[in-house]
Coordinates of all heavy atoms in Angstrom, one line a residue:
M25 N -62.8 -33.7 -44.9 CA -64.0 -34.3 -44.7 C -64.9 -33.5 -43.8 O -64.5 -33.0 -42.7 CB -63.7 -35.7 -44.1 CG -64.9 -36.6 -43.5 SD -66.2 -37.0 -44.9 CE -65.2 -38.3 -45.7
A26 N -66.2 -33.4 -44.1 CA -67.2 -32.6 -43.3 C -67.2 -33.4 -42.0 O -67.1 -34.6 -41.9 CB -68.5 -32.5 -44.0
D27 N -67.6 -32.6 -40.9 CA -67.7 -33.3 -39.6 C -69.1 -33.5 -39.1 O -70.1 -33.1 -39.7 CB -66.8 -32.7 -38.6 CG -67.3 -31.5 -37.8 OD1 -68.5 -31.5 -37.5 OD2 -66.6 -30.6 -37.5
R28 N -69.1 -34.4 -38.0 CA -70.3 -34.8 -37.5 C -70.8 -34.1 -36.3 O -71.5 -34.7 -35.4 CB -70.3 -36.4 -37.3 CG -70.2 -37.2 -38.5 CD -70.2 -38.7 -38.1 NE -70.5 -39.6 -39.1 CZ -69.5 -40.1 -40.0 NH1 -68.3 -39.7 -39.9 NH2 -69.9 -41.0 -41.0
T29 N -70.5 -32.8 -36.1 CA -71.0 -32.1 -35.0 C -72.3 -31.4 -35.3 O -72.5 -30.9 -36.5 CB -70.0 -30.9 -34.7 OG1 -68.7 -31.4 -34.6 CG2 -70.4 -30.1 -33.5
P30 N -73.3 -31.6 -34.4 CA -74.7 -31.0 -34.7 C -74.5 -29.5 -35.0 O -73.9 -28.8 -34.3 CB -75.4 -31.2 -33.4 CG -74.7 -32.4 -32.7 CD -73.3 -32.3 -33.1
L31 N -75.2 -29.1 -36.1 CA -75.2 -27.7 -36.3 C -76.3 -27.0 -35.7 O -77.4 -27.5 -35.4 CB -75.3 -27.5 -37.9 CG -74.2 -28.0 -38.8 CD1 -74.6 -27.9 -40.3 CD2 -73.0 -27.2 -38.5
S32 N -76.2 -25.7 -35.5 CA -77.3 -24.8 -34.9 C -78.4 -24.6 -36.0 O -78.0 -24.7 -37.1 CB -76.7 -23.5 -34.4 OG -76.4 -22.7 -35.4
R33 N -79.5 -24.3 -35.5 CA -80.6 -23.9 -36.5 C -80.2 -22.8 -37.4 O -80.5 -22.7 -38.6 CB -81.8 -23.7 -35.8 CG -83.0 -23.3 -36.7 CD -83.5 -24.5 -37.4 NE -84.3 -24.1 -38.6 CZ -85.7 -24.1 -38.5 NH1 -86.3 -24.4 -37.5 NH2 -86.3 -23.7 -39.6
A34 N -79.5 -21.8 -36.8 CA -79.0 -20.6 -37.5 C -78.0 -21.0 -38.6 O -78.2 -20.5 -39.8 CB -78.4 -19.6 -36.7
D35 N -77.2 -21.9 -38.3 CA -76.1 -22.4 -39.3 C -76.8 -23.1 -40.4 O -76.5 -23.0 -41.6 CB -75.1 -23.3 -38.7 CG -74.1 -22.5 -37.9 OD1 -74.0 -21.3 -38.0 OD2 -73.4 -23.1 -37.0
I36 N -77.8 -24.0 -40.0 CA -78.6 -24.7 -41.1 C -79.3 -23.8 -42.0 O -79.3 -23.9 -43.2 CB -79.6 -25.8 -40.4 CG1 -78.7 -26.8 -39.5 CG2 -80.4 -26.4 -41.5 CD1 -79.6 -27.5 -38.6
D37 N -80.0 -22.8 -41.4 CA -80.8 -21.9 -42.2 C -79.9 -21.1 -43.2 O -80.3 -20.9 -44.3 CB -81.6 -20.9 -41.3 CG -82.8 -21.7 -40.7 OD1 -83.2 -22.7 -41.1 OD2 -83.3 -21.1 -39.6
A38 N -78.7 -20.6 -42.7 CA -77.8 -19.9 -43.4 C -77.4 -20.7 -44.7 O -77.3 -20.2 -45.8 CB -76.6 -19.4 -42.7
A39 N -77.1 -22.0 -44.4 CA -76.6 -22.9 -45.5 C -77.7 -23.2 -46.5 O -77.5 -23.1 -47.7 CB -76.1 -24.3 -44.9
L40 N -78.9 -23.4 -46.1 CA -80.0 -23.7 -46.9 C -80.5 -22.5 -47.8 O -81.1 -22.7 -48.8 CB -81.2 -24.2 -46.1 CG -81.0 -25.5 -45.4 CD1 -82.3 -26.1 -44.8 CD2 -80.3 -26.6 -46.3
D41 N -80.1 -21.2 -47.4 CA -80.4 -20.1 -48.2 C -79.8 -20.3 -49.6 O -80.4 -19.7 -50.6 CB -79.8 -18.8 -47.5 CG -80.7 -18.3 -46.5 OD1 -81.9 -18.7 -46.4 OD2 -80.3 -17.3 -45.7
D42 N -78.7 -20.9 -49.7 CA -78.0 -21.2 -51.0 C -78.2 -22.5 -51.6 O -77.6 -22.8 -52.5 CB -76.5 -20.9 -50.9 CG -76.1 -19.6 -50.4 OD1 -76.8 -18.6 -50.8 OD2 -75.1 -19.5 -49.6
M43 N -79.2 -23.2 -51.0 CA -79.4 -24.6 -51.5 C -81.0 -24.7 -51.9 O -81.8 -25.1 -51.1 CB -79.1 -25.6 -50.5 CG -77.6 -25.5 -50.1 SD -77.1 -26.5 -48.7 CE -77.6 -28.1 -49.2
E44 N -81.2 -24.4 -53.1 CA -82.6 -24.3 -53.6 C -83.4 -25.7 -53.4 O -82.9 -26.8 -53.7 CB -82.7 -24.0 -55.1 CG -84.0 -23.6 -55.6 CD -84.0 -23.3 -57.1 OE1 -83.0 -22.9 -57.6 OE2 -85.1 -23.7 -57.7
G45 N -84.5 -25.6 -52.7 CA -85.4 -26.7 -52.6 C -85.3 -27.6 -51.3 O -86.1 -28.3 -51.0
W46 N -84.1 -27.3 -50.7 CA -83.9 -28.1 -49.4 C -84.5 -27.3 -48.3 O -84.5 -26.2 -48.1 CB -82.4 -28.1 -49.1 CG -81.6 -29.2 -50.1 CD1 -81.0 -28.8 -51.2 CD2 -81.5 -30.6 -49.9 NE1 -80.5 -30.0 -51.8 CE2 -80.8 -31.1 -50.9 CE3 -82.1 -31.5 -48.9 CZ2 -80.6 -32.4 -51.2 CZ3 -81.9 -32.8 -49.1 CH2 -81.1 -33.3 -50.2
V47 N -85.2 -28.1 -47.4 CA -85.9 -27.5 -46.3 C -85.5 -28.3 -45.0 O -85.3 -29.5 -45.0 CB -87.5 -27.5 -46.4 CG1 -87.8 -26.5 -47.6 CG2 -88.0 -28.9 -46.7
F48 N -85.6 -27.6 -43.9 CA -85.3 -28.2 -42.5 C -86.6 -28.6 -42.0 O -87.6 -27.8 -42.0 CB -84.7 -27.1 -41.7 CG -84.4 -27.6 -40.2 CD1 -83.3 -28.4 -40.0 CD2 -85.3 -27.3 -39.2 CE1 -83.1 -28.9 -38.7 CE2 -85.1 -27.8 -38.0 CZ -84.0 -28.6 -37.7
E49 N -86.6 -29.9 -41.5 CA -87.9 -30.5 -41.0 C -87.5 -31.6 -40.0 O -86.9 -32.6 -40.3 CB -88.7 -31.1 -42.2 CG -90.1 -31.3 -41.9 CD -90.8 -31.9 -43.2 OE1 -91.0 -31.1 -44.1 OE2 -91.0 -33.0 -43.2
D50 N -87.9 -31.4 -38.8 CA -87.8 -32.5 -37.7 C -86.3 -33.0 -37.6 O -86.1 -34.2 -37.7 CB -88.7 -33.7 -38.0 CG -90.1 -33.3 -37.9 OD1 -90.5 -32.3 -37.1 OD2 -91.0 -33.9 -38.6
D51 N -85.4 -32.1 -37.5 CA -84.0 -32.4 -37.4 C -83.4 -33.2 -38.5 O -82.5 -34.0 -38.5 CB -83.7 -33.3 -36.1 CG -83.6 -32.4 -34.9 OD1 -83.0 -31.3 -35.0 OD2 -83.9 -32.8 -33.8
T52 N -84.0 -32.9 -39.7 CA -83.5 -33.4 -41.0 C -83.5 -32.3 -42.0 O -84.1 -31.3 -41.8 CB -84.4 -34.6 -41.6 OG1 -85.6 -34.1 -42.1 CG2 -84.7 -35.6 -40.5
I53 N -82.8 -32.5 -43.1 CA -83.1 -31.7 -44.3 C -83.6 -32.6 -45.4 O -83.3 -33.7 -45.5 CB -81.8 -30.9 -44.8 CG1 -80.6 -31.8 -45.1 CG2 -81.4 -29.9 -43.8 CD1 -79.4 -31.1 -45.7
T54 N -84.6 -32.0 -46.1 CA -85.3 -32.8 -47.1 C -85.4 -32.1 -48.4 O -85.4 -30.8 -48.5 CB -86.7 -33.3 -46.7 OG1 -87.5 -32.1 -46.7 CG2 -86.7 -33.8 -45.3
K55 N -85.5 -32.9 -49.5 CA -85.8 -32.3 -50.8 C -86.6 -33.2 -51.7 O -86.3 -34.4 -51.6 CB -84.5 -31.8 -51.5 CG -84.8 -31.1 -52.9 CD -83.5 -30.4 -53.4 CE -83.7 -29.8 -54.8 NZ -82.5 -29.0 -55.2
A56 N -87.6 -32.8 -52.4 CA -88.3 -33.6 -53.3 C -87.9 -33.3 -54.8 O -87.9 -32.1 -55.2 CB -89.8 -33.4 -53.1
Y57 N -87.5 -34.3 -55.5 CA -87.1 -34.2 -56.9 C -88.1 -34.8 -57.8 O -88.7 -35.9 -57.4 CB -85.8 -34.9 -57.1 CG -84.5 -34.2 -56.6 CD1 -84.1 -34.6 -55.3 CD2 -83.8 -33.3 -57.3 CE1 -83.0 -34.0 -54.7 CE2 -82.6 -32.7 -56.7 CZ -82.3 -33.1 -55.4 OH -81.2 -32.5 -54.8
T58 N -88.3 -34.2 -58.9 CA -89.2 -34.9 -60.0 C -88.3 -35.1 -61.2 O -87.8 -34.2 -61.7 CB -90.4 -33.9 -60.3 OG1 -91.1 -33.7 -59.1 CG2 -91.3 -34.7 -61.3
C59 N -88.2 -36.3 -61.6 CA -87.4 -36.8 -62.7 C -88.3 -37.0 -63.9 O -89.6 -36.9 -63.8 CB -86.6 -38.1 -62.5 SG -85.5 -37.9 -60.9
A60 N -87.8 -37.2 -65.1 CA -88.6 -37.3 -66.3 C -89.5 -38.6 -66.3 O -90.5 -38.6 -66.7 CB -87.6 -37.3 -67.5
D61 N -88.8 -39.6 -65.8 CA -89.5 -40.9 -65.7 C -88.8 -41.9 -64.7 O -87.9 -41.4 -64.0 CB -89.6 -41.6 -67.1 CG -88.1 -41.6 -67.7 OD1 -87.2 -41.6 -67.0 OD2 -88.1 -41.7 -68.9
F62 N -89.3 -43.1 -64.6 CA -88.6 -44.0 -63.7 C -87.2 -44.3 -63.8 O -86.4 -44.4 -63.0 CB -89.5 -45.3 -63.6 CG -89.1 -46.4 -62.6 CD1 -89.1 -46.2 -61.3 CD2 -88.5 -47.6 -63.1 CE1 -88.7 -47.1 -60.4 CE2 -88.0 -48.5 -62.2 CZ -88.1 -48.3 -60.8
Q63 N -86.9 -44.4 -65.1 CA -85.5 -44.7 -65.5 C -84.5 -43.7 -65.0 O -83.4 -43.9 -64.4 CB -85.4 -45.0 -66.9 CG -84.1 -45.5 -67.5 CD -84.0 -45.7 -69.0 OE1 -85.0 -45.7 -69.6 NE2 -82.9 -46.0 -69.5
E64 N -84.9 -42.5 -65.2 CA -84.1 -41.3 -64.8 C -84.0 -41.2 -63.3 O -83.0 -40.9 -62.7 CB -84.7 -40.0 -65.3 CG -83.7 -38.8 -65.2 CD -84.2 -37.6 -65.8 OE1 -85.0 -36.8 -65.2 OE2 -83.8 -37.3 -66.9
A65 N -85.1 -41.5 -62.5 CA -85.1 -41.5 -61.1 C -84.1 -42.6 -60.6 O -83.4 -42.4 -59.7 CB -86.5 -41.7 -60.7
V66 N -84.2 -43.8 -61.2 CA -83.3 -44.8 -60.7 C -81.8 -44.5 -61.0 O -80.9 -44.8 -60.2 CB -83.7 -46.1 -61.4 CG1 -82.7 -47.3 -61.0 CG2 -85.1 -46.6 -60.8
A67 N -81.6 -43.9 -62.2 CA -80.2 -43.6 -62.5 C -79.7 -42.4 -61.4 O -78.5 -42.5 -61.0 CB -80.1 -43.0 -63.9
F68 N -80.5 -41.5 -61.2 CA -80.2 -40.5 -60.1 C -79.9 -41.2 -58.7 O -78.9 -40.9 -58.2 CB -81.4 -39.6 -60.0 CG -81.3 -38.5 -59.0 CD1 -80.1 -37.9 -58.8 CD2 -82.5 -38.0 -58.3 CE1 -80.1 -36.7 -57.9 CE2 -82.4 -37.0 -57.4 CZ -81.2 -36.4 -57.2
I69 N -80.7 -42.1 -58.4 CA -80.4 -42.8 -57.1 C -79.1 -43.6 -57.1 O -78.4 -43.5 -56.1 CB -81.6 -43.8 -56.8 CG1 -82.9 -43.0 -56.4 CG2 -81.2 -44.8 -55.7 CD1 -84.2 -43.8 -56.4
V70 N -78.8 -44.1 -58.2 CA -77.4 -44.8 -58.3 C -76.3 -43.8 -58.2 O -75.4 -44.1 -57.5 CB -77.4 -45.6 -59.6 CG1 -76.0 -46.1 -59.9 CG2 -78.4 -46.8 -59.7
R71 N -76.5 -42.7 -58.9 CA -75.4 -41.6 -58.7 C -75.3 -41.2 -57.3 O -74.2 -41.1 -56.7 CB -75.7 -40.5 -59.6 CG -75.6 -40.8 -61.1 CD -75.5 -39.5 -61.9 NE -76.8 -38.7 -61.9 CZ -77.8 -39.0 -62.7 NH1 -77.8 -39.9 -63.6 NH2 -78.8 -38.1 -62.6
I72 N -76.5 -41.0 -56.6 CA -76.4 -40.7 -55.2 C -75.6 -41.8 -54.4 O -74.8 -41.4 -53.5 CB -77.8 -40.5 -54.7 CG1 -78.5 -39.2 -55.2 CG2 -77.9 -40.3 -53.2 CD1 -80.0 -39.2 -55.0
G73 N -75.9 -43.0 -54.8 CA -75.2 -44.1 -54.0 C -73.7 -44.0 -54.0 O -73.1 -44.3 -53.0
F74 N -73.2 -43.6 -55.1 CA -71.6 -43.5 -55.2 C -71.1 -42.5 -54.2 O -70.2 -42.7 -53.5 CB -71.2 -43.2 -56.6 CG -71.3 -44.4 -57.6 CD1 -72.2 -44.5 -58.6 CD2 -70.4 -45.5 -57.4 CE1 -72.3 -45.6 -59.4 CE2 -70.5 -46.5 -58.4 CZ -71.5 -46.6 -59.3
H75 N -71.9 -41.4 -54.1 CA -71.4 -40.4 -53.2 C -71.7 -40.8 -51.8 O -70.9 -40.4 -50.8 CB -72.2 -39.0 -53.5 CG -71.7 -38.3 -54.8 ND1 -70.4 -37.7 -54.8 CD2 -72.2 -38.3 -56.0 CE1 -70.2 -37.3 -56.1 NE2 -71.2 -37.5 -56.8
A76 N -72.8 -41.4 -51.5 CA -73.1 -41.9 -50.2 C -71.9 -42.8 -49.7 O -71.4 -42.7 -48.6 CB -74.4 -42.5 -50.1
E77 N -71.5 -43.7 -50.6 CA -70.4 -44.7 -50.2 C -69.1 -43.9 -50.0 O -68.4 -44.1 -49.0 CB -70.3 -45.7 -51.2 CG -71.4 -46.7 -51.2 CD -71.3 -47.5 -49.9 OE1 -70.3 -48.4 -49.7 OE2 -72.1 -47.3 -48.9
E78 N -68.8 -42.9 -50.9 CA -67.5 -42.2 -50.9 C -67.5 -41.5 -49.4 O -66.5 -41.3 -48.8 CB -67.5 -41.3 -51.9 CG -66.1 -40.7 -52.2 CD -66.0 -40.0 -53.4 OE1 -66.1 -40.5 -54.5 OE2 -65.9 -38.6 -53.4
L79 N -68.6 -40.9 -49.1 CA -68.6 -40.1 -47.8 C -69.0 -41.0 -46.6 O -68.9 -40.5 -45.4 CB -69.8 -39.0 -47.9 CG -69.6 -37.9 -48.8 CD1 -70.8 -37.0 -48.9 CD2 -68.4 -37.0 -48.4
A80 N -69.3 -42.2 -46.8 CA -69.8 -43.1 -45.7 C -70.9 -42.4 -45.0 O -70.9 -42.4 -43.7 CB -68.6 -43.4 -44.7
H81 N -71.8 -41.9 -45.7 CA -73.0 -41.2 -45.1 C -74.2 -41.4 -46.1 O -74.1 -41.2 -47.3 CB -72.7 -39.6 -45.1 CG -73.6 -38.9 -44.3 ND1 -73.7 -39.1 -42.9 CD2 -74.5 -38.0 -44.5 CE1 -74.6 -38.4 -42.4 NE2 -75.2 -37.6 -43.4
H82 N -75.3 -41.9 -45.5 CA -76.3 -42.5 -46.4 C -77.6 -41.8 -46.2 O -78.1 -41.5 -45.1 CB -76.5 -44.0 -46.0 CG -75.2 -44.7 -46.3 ND1 -74.2 -44.9 -45.3 CD2 -74.6 -45.2 -47.4 CE1 -73.1 -45.5 -45.8 NE2 -73.3 -45.7 -47.1
P83 N -78.4 -41.5 -47.3 CA -79.6 -40.7 -47.3 C -80.8 -41.7 -47.1 O -80.6 -43.0 -47.3 CB -79.7 -40.2 -48.7 CG -78.9 -41.3 -49.5 CD -77.9 -41.8 -48.7
E84 N -81.9 -41.2 -46.6 CA -83.2 -42.0 -46.7 C -83.8 -41.5 -48.1 O -83.9 -40.3 -48.4 CB -84.1 -41.5 -45.6 CG -83.6 -41.9 -44.2 CD -84.4 -41.4 -43.1 OE1 -85.6 -41.2 -43.4 OE2 -83.9 -41.2 -42.1
L85 N -84.1 -42.5 -48.8 CA -84.6 -42.3 -50.2 C -86.0 -42.9 -50.4 O -86.2 -44.0 -49.9 CB -83.7 -42.9 -51.3 CG -82.3 -42.4 -51.3 CD1 -81.4 -43.4 -52.1 CD2 -82.2 -41.0 -51.7
F86 N -86.9 -42.2 -51.0 CA -88.3 -42.7 -51.2 C -88.6 -42.4 -52.7 O -88.7 -41.3 -53.0 CB -89.3 -42.0 -50.3 CG -90.7 -42.6 -50.4 CD1 -91.0 -43.9 -49.9 CD2 -91.7 -41.9 -51.1 CE1 -92.2 -44.4 -50.1 CE2 -92.9 -42.3 -51.2 CZ -93.3 -43.7 -50.7
N87 N -88.8 -43.4 -53.5 CA -89.0 -43.3 -54.8 C -90.5 -43.9 -55.2 O -90.8 -45.0 -54.9 CB -87.9 -44.0 -55.7 CG -88.4 -44.3 -57.0 OD1 -88.4 -45.5 -57.4 ND2 -88.6 -43.4 -57.9
V88 N -91.1 -43.0 -55.9 CA -92.4 -43.6 -56.6 C -92.4 -43.0 -58.1 O -92.3 -41.8 -58.3 CB -93.7 -43.1 -55.9 CG1 -94.9 -43.6 -56.7 CG2 -93.7 -43.5 -54.5
Y89 N -92.2 -44.0 -59.0 CA -92.2 -43.8 -60.4 C -91.1 -42.6 -60.7 O -90.0 -43.0 -60.6 CB -93.6 -43.3 -61.0 CG -93.4 -43.0 -62.5 CD1 -92.8 -43.7 -63.4 CD2 -94.1 -41.7 -63.0 CE1 -92.8 -43.4 -64.7 CE2 -94.0 -41.4 -64.3 CZ -93.3 -42.2 -65.2 OH -93.3 -41.9 -66.5
N90 N -91.4 -41.4 -61.0 CA -90.4 -40.4 -61.3 C -90.1 -39.4 -60.2 O -89.4 -38.5 -60.3 CB -90.9 -39.5 -62.6 CG -92.1 -38.7 -62.1 OD1 -92.9 -39.0 -61.3 ND2 -92.4 -37.6 -63.0
S91 N -90.6 -39.7 -58.9 CA -90.3 -38.9 -57.7 C -89.2 -39.5 -56.9 O -89.1 -40.8 -56.8 CB -91.6 -38.6 -57.0 OG -91.8 -39.7 -56.2
V92 N -88.3 -38.7 -56.4 CA -87.3 -39.1 -55.5 C -87.3 -38.1 -54.3 O -86.9 -36.9 -54.6 CB -85.9 -39.2 -56.1 CG1 -84.9 -39.7 -55.1 CG2 -85.8 -40.1 -57.4
D93 N -87.8 -38.6 -53.1 CA -87.8 -37.7 -52.0 C -86.6 -38.1 -51.0 O -86.4 -39.3 -50.8 CB -89.1 -37.9 -51.2 CG -90.3 -37.4 -52.1 OD1 -90.2 -36.8 -53.0 OD2 -91.4 -37.9 -51.8
I94 N -85.9 -37.1 -50.7 CA -84.6 -37.4 -50.0 C -84.6 -36.8 -48.6 O -85.0 -35.6 -48.5 CB -83.4 -36.8 -50.8 CG1 -83.3 -37.6 -52.1 CG2 -82.1 -37.1 -50.1 CD1 -82.3 -37.0 -53.1
T95 N -84.2 -37.5 -47.6 CA -84.1 -37.0 -46.2 C -82.6 -37.3 -45.8 O -82.2 -38.4 -45.9 CB -85.2 -37.6 -45.3 OG1 -86.4 -37.4 -45.9 CG2 -85.1 -37.2 -43.9
L96 N -82.1 -36.2 -45.2 CA -80.8 -36.4 -44.6 C -80.6 -36.0 -43.2 O -81.2 -34.9 -42.8 CB -79.7 -35.5 -45.4 CG -79.7 -35.7 -46.9 CD1 -78.7 -34.6 -47.6 CD2 -79.2 -37.1 -47.3
T97 N -80.0 -36.9 -42.4 CA -79.8 -36.6 -41.0 C -78.6 -37.4 -40.6 O -78.2 -38.4 -41.3 CB -80.9 -36.9 -40.1 OG1 -80.7 -36.4 -38.8 CG2 -81.3 -38.3 -40.0
T98 N -77.9 -37.1 -39.5 CA -76.7 -37.9 -39.2 C -77.0 -38.7 -37.9 O -77.2 -38.2 -36.8 CB -75.6 -36.8 -38.8 OG1 -75.3 -36.1 -40.0 CG2 -74.2 -37.6 -38.4
H99 N -77.1 -40.0 -38.1 CA -77.5 -40.8 -37.0 C -76.4 -40.8 -35.9 O -76.8 -40.9 -34.7 CB -77.6 -42.4 -37.4 CG -78.5 -42.4 -38.6 ND1 -79.7 -41.9 -38.7 CD2 -78.3 -42.9 -39.9 CE1 -80.3 -42.1 -39.8 NE2 -79.4 -42.7 -40.6
D100 N -75.1 -40.8 -36.3 CA -74.0 -40.7 -35.3 C -74.0 -39.4 -34.5 O -73.2 -39.4 -33.5 CB -72.6 -40.8 -36.0 CG -72.5 -42.1 -36.7 OD1 -73.3 -43.2 -36.4 OD2 -71.7 -42.4 -37.6
A101 N -74.8 -38.5 -34.9 CA -74.8 -37.2 -34.1 C -76.2 -37.0 -33.4 O -76.7 -36.0 -33.3 CB -74.5 -36.0 -35.0
G102 N -76.8 -38.2 -33.1 CA -78.1 -38.2 -32.4 C -79.2 -37.8 -33.3 O -80.2 -37.2 -32.9
D103 N -79.1 -38.1 -34.6 CA -80.1 -37.8 -35.6 C -80.4 -36.3 -35.6 O -81.5 -35.8 -35.4 CB -81.5 -38.5 -35.3 CG -81.4 -40.1 -35.6 OD1 -80.7 -40.4 -36.5 OD2 -81.8 -40.8 -34.7
T104 N -79.2 -35.5 -35.9 CA -79.3 -34.1 -36.1 C -78.6 -33.8 -37.4 O -78.0 -34.6 -38.0 CB -78.6 -33.3 -35.0 OG1 -77.2 -33.8 -35.0 CG2 -79.2 -33.7 -33.6
V105 N -78.7 -32.6 -37.8 CA -78.2 -32.1 -39.1 C -76.7 -31.7 -38.8 O -76.5 -30.8 -37.9 CB -79.1 -31.0 -39.8 CG1 -78.3 -30.6 -41.1 CG2 -80.4 -31.6 -40.1
T106 N -75.8 -32.2 -39.7 CA -74.4 -31.8 -39.6 C -73.8 -31.4 -40.8 O -74.5 -31.5 -42.0 CB -73.5 -33.1 -39.1 OG1 -73.5 -34.0 -40.2 CG2 -74.1 -33.6 -37.8
E107 N -72.5 -31.0 -41.0 CA -71.9 -30.5 -42.2 C -72.0 -31.7 -43.2 O -71.9 -31.5 -44.4 CB -70.5 -30.2 -41.9 CG -70.3 -28.7 -41.4 CD -70.6 -27.7 -42.5 OE1 -70.8 -27.9 -43.7 OE2 -70.9 -26.6 -42.1
L108 N -72.0 -32.9 -42.7 CA -71.9 -34.1 -43.6 C -73.2 -34.2 -44.4 O -73.2 -34.5 -45.6 CB -71.7 -35.4 -42.8 CG -71.0 -36.5 -43.4 CD1 -69.8 -36.2 -44.3 CD2 -70.6 -37.5 -42.2
D109 N -74.3 -33.8 -43.7 CA -75.6 -33.8 -44.5 C -75.5 -32.6 -45.6 O -76.1 -32.9 -46.7 CB -76.7 -33.6 -43.5 CG -76.9 -34.6 -42.5 OD1 -77.1 -35.8 -43.0 OD2 -76.7 -34.3 -41.3
L110 N -75.0 -31.5 -45.2 CA -75.0 -30.4 -46.2 C -74.1 -30.8 -47.4 O -74.4 -30.5 -48.6 CB -74.4 -29.2 -45.5 CG -75.3 -28.6 -44.3 CD1 -74.6 -27.4 -43.7 CD2 -76.7 -28.2 -44.9
E111 N -72.9 -31.5 -47.0 CA -72.0 -31.9 -48.1 C -72.7 -32.9 -49.0 O -72.6 -32.9 -50.3 CB -70.7 -32.6 -47.5 CG -69.8 -33.3 -48.4 CD -69.1 -32.4 -49.4 OE1 -69.1 -31.2 -49.1 OE2 -68.6 -32.9 -50.3
L112 N -73.4 -33.9 -48.4 CA -74.1 -34.9 -49.2 C -75.2 -34.2 -50.0 O -75.4 -34.5 -51.3 CB -74.6 -36.1 -48.5 CG -75.3 -37.1 -49.2 CD1 -74.5 -37.7 -50.3 CD2 -75.9 -38.3 -48.3
A113 N -75.9 -33.3 -49.4 CA -77.0 -32.5 -50.2 C -76.4 -31.8 -51.4 O -77.1 -31.9 -52.5 CB -77.7 -31.6 -49.2
R114 N -75.3 -31.1 -51.2 CA -74.7 -30.4 -52.3 C -74.3 -31.3 -53.5 O -74.4 -31.1 -54.7 CB -73.5 -29.6 -51.8 CG -73.9 -28.4 -50.9 CD -72.7 -27.5 -50.5 NE -73.1 -26.5 -49.6 CZ -72.9 -26.4 -48.3 NH1 -72.2 -27.4 -47.8 NH2 -73.3 -25.5 -47.5
R115 N -73.7 -32.5 -53.0 CA -73.3 -33.5 -54.1 C -74.6 -34.1 -54.8 O -74.4 -34.3 -56.0 CB -72.6 -34.6 -53.4 CG -71.1 -34.2 -52.9 CD -70.5 -35.4 -52.3 NE -69.1 -35.2 -51.9 CZ -68.1 -36.0 -52.1 NH1 -68.3 -37.2 -52.6 NH2 -66.9 -35.7 -51.6
I116 N -75.6 -34.3 -54.1 CA -76.9 -34.8 -54.7 C -77.4 -33.7 -55.7 O -77.7 -34.0 -56.8 CB -77.9 -35.0 -53.6 CG1 -77.5 -36.3 -52.8 CG2 -79.4 -35.2 -54.3 CD1 -78.4 -36.6 -51.6
D117 N -77.3 -32.5 -55.3 CA -77.8 -31.4 -56.2 C -76.9 -31.5 -57.6 O -77.3 -31.2 -58.7 CB -77.7 -30.0 -55.7 CG -78.9 -29.7 -54.8 OD1 -80.0 -30.4 -55.0 OD2 -78.9 -28.8 -54.0
A118 N -75.7 -31.7 -57.3 CA -74.7 -31.7 -58.5 C -74.9 -32.9 -59.4 O -74.5 -32.7 -60.6 CB -73.2 -31.7 -57.9
V119 N -75.5 -34.0 -59.0 CA -75.8 -35.1 -59.9 C -77.3 -35.2 -60.3 O -77.7 -36.2 -60.8 CB -75.2 -36.4 -59.4 CG1 -73.7 -36.2 -59.1 CG2 -75.8 -36.8 -58.0
A120 N -78.1 -34.2 -59.8 CA -79.6 -34.3 -60.1 C -79.7 -34.1 -61.6 O -79.1 -33.3 -62.3 CB -80.3 -33.3 -59.3
P121 N -80.8 -34.7 -62.2 CA -81.2 -34.5 -63.5 C -81.6 -33.0 -63.7 O -82.0 -32.4 -62.7 CB -82.4 -35.3 -63.8 CG -82.5 -36.3 -62.6 CD -81.7 -35.7 -61.5
E122 N -81.4 -32.5 -64.8 CA -81.9 -31.1 -65.1 C -83.4 -31.0 -64.8 O -84.1 -31.9 -65.1 CB -81.7 -30.8 -66.6 CG -80.2 -30.6 -67.0 CD -79.5 -29.6 -66.2 OE1 -80.0 -28.5 -66.1 OE2 -78.3 -29.8 -65.8
A123 N -83.8 -29.9 -64.2 CA -85.3 -29.8 -63.9 C -86.1 -29.6 -65.1 O -85.5 -29.1 -66.1 CB -85.3 -28.6 -63.0
Ligands
H2B214 C1 -69.4 -46.5 -39.6 C2 -70.3 -45.7 -40.6 O1 -69.4 -44.8 -41.3 C3 -71.3 -44.9 -39.9 O2 -72.2 -45.9 -39.2 C4 -72.1 -44.1 -40.9 C5 -72.8 -44.9 -42.0 N1 -73.8 -44.0 -42.6 C6 -74.4 -43.1 -42.0 N2 -75.4 -42.4 -42.6 C7 -76.0 -41.4 -41.9 N3 -77.1 -40.7 -42.5 N4 -75.7 -41.1 -40.6 C8 -74.8 -41.7 -40.0 O3 -74.5 -41.3 -38.9 C9 -74.1 -42.7 -40.7 N5 -73.0 -43.3 -40.1

């Protein structure tokens, strides 16, 4: 299980180098997805939900029609980015609809 120790900015930047579309912003990592339509966006959100529950780690999600904007931070680590955010981000990418 990934841990909840705050990561350094250098560690976050190094990880994000291999994670297309994810950006560091205000002690969070964020990514904006565009789905084909609302149905695909909602299905994506449901798939994210299963991983969030499995990890006991929950994203902030903002959906408008076919867009899903995701923000990840670890509340238990003082609202900083941890390995758990990177793990959830990688799982989200793995269940994202094809671009
Ligand atoms: C007890 C439970 O596992 C914790 O409260 C979890 C729940 N989901 C969480 N989600 C996020 N994003 N950060 C947390 O620190 C967090 N903590």
Side-chain angles (χ1 to χ4, degrees):
M25 171 64 73
D27 86 37
R28 288 182 165 88
T29 305
L31 294 174
S32 70
R33 181 66 197 270
D35 285 340
I36 297 166
D37 286 344
L40 295 189
D41 276 351
D42 297 326
M43 297 168 63
E44 197 187 323
W46 287 96
V47 295
F48 177 80
E49 197 177 283
D50 295 333
D51 279 328
T52 72
I53 56 172
T54 70
K55 183 168 177 175
Y57 291 87
T58 303
C59 300
D61 52 24
F62 180 66
Q63 188 176 350
E64 189 175 85
V66 171
F68 179 36
I69 289 168
V70 170
R71 291 194 295 274
I72 292 170
F74 285 108
H75 287 288
E77 282 296 286
E78 197 172 290
L79 291 172
H81 195 64
H82 301 92
E84 295 173 29
L85 302 169
F86 184 73
N87 162 241
V88 177
Y89 179 48
N90 66 336
S91 72
V92 181
D93 298 340
I94 299 172
T95 301
L96 303 178
T97 189
T98 303
H99 310 306
D100 296 340
D103 293 316
T104 61
V105 176
T106 68
E107 280 292 344
L108 211 39
D109 297 302
L110 298 176
E111 171 69 17
L112 182 56
R114 292 186 183 106
R115 287 181 179 218
I116 290 170
D117 277 341
V119 297
E122 294 297 318

